[in-house]
Amino acid sequence: MDNDVKELRVAAGLSQRELAEALSVSRQTVNSIETGRYDPSLPLAIAIARHFARTVEEIFHVD
Amino acid sequence: MDNDVKELRVAAGLSQRELAEALSVSRQTVNSIETGRYDPSLPLAIAIARHFARTVEEIFHVD
DNA sequence: GGTCCGTGTCAAGCGTGCTTGACGTCGAGT
DNA sequence: ACTCGACGTCAAGCACGCTTGACACGGACC
C-alpha cells in the first residue's frame, strides 16, 4: 500500500500539522501515513479522500 | 460506519465462508464486518470493493 | 548566534483488526 | 431423530492504528 497523501497535501499548500487538524488526528499520524509507516484505518482513509475530493482508490494503491 | 457487504454477498450467492476464502481472511472476519463488530482494515476494504466491482465509498458509509 | 516552523522519528500505552479453535442455534434434507 | 451447512458469538493471542510527549535536524528569518 502506497499513497499520494503527501503530494496532495503539498499541492494544497498544507503542512502536516494543518492537515492533521483538518482530519482531527495527530501530526504523527499524518506523518506515519505519508512515510508509509502504516496504513490509515478505513474511516480515516475515507476522511482523507473526502478532504481532497478523491476516491479512496485514487489515493491509496495496493502494491 | 455501516456497510453493504452482507447484501452484496447474498446477492452474489456466496456464503460467509466462500467470501472469506475469496478474500483470504477468516470467516469470523467477514462475519464481524457484516455484523458491525468492527471496520475492516484499508487493504481489506479495498479488496472487498474490488471483489464486488464497486468503490470503497459505495460499500462503506460513515454514519 | 538565536528562534521559529516543518519534518522525521522514538517510546509507551491503549484500543482495534484479525487469527485459530470452539460452541450453540437454526433450517433443510434424509 | 439425525446430520449438515450457515451463521452468530466467545476467548486468547498477536500485530497494527493512533495517541501524547519528546528529541533532533534543516531552512528561513531576525
Side-chain angles (χ1 to χ4, degrees):
Chain A
M1 284 278 322
D2 76 328
N3 66 73
D4 303 343
V5 174
K6 181 165 190 167
E7 289 79 352
L8 290 165
R9 174 180 62 78
V10 171
L14 296 171
S15 68
Q16 291 183 345
R17 186 166 184 282
E18 288 168 331
L19 178 56
E21 278 170 8
L23 297 169
S24 301
V25 295
S26 68
R27 179 183 70 85
Q28 285 85 339
T29 294
V30 170
N31 185 28
S32 293
I33 292 165
E34 286 190 1
T35 59
R37 206 181 270 286
Y38 50 70
D39 298 329
S41 66
L42 179 55
L44 180 51
I46 292 176
I48 292 170
R50 285 189 140 177
H51 189 269
F52 293 115
R54 301 280 151 75
T55 64
V56 167
E57 283 89 344
E58 282 171 344
I59 301 182
F60 300 93
H61 317 285
V62 188
D63 322 280
Chain B
M1 283 275 324
D2 76 327
N3 66 72
D4 303 342
V5 174
K6 181 165 189 167
E7 290 78 353
L8 290 166
R9 174 181 61 79
V10 170
L14 296 170
S15 67
Q16 290 184 345
R17 188 168 182 280
E18 289 169 330
L19 178 57
E21 280 172 7
L23 298 169
S24 301
V25 294
S26 69
R27 179 182 70 86
Q28 285 85 337
T29 294
V30 169
N31 185 33
S32 294
I33 293 165
E34 286 190 359
T35 58
R37 205 181 272 287
Y38 50 70
D39 298 329
S41 65
L42 178 55
L44 181 51
I46 292 176
I48 291 170
R50 285 189 140 176
H51 188 269
F52 293 116
R54 302 280 152 75
T55 65
V56 167
E57 284 89 343
E58 282 171 343
I59 301 182
F60 299 93
H61 316 286
V62 188
D63 323 279

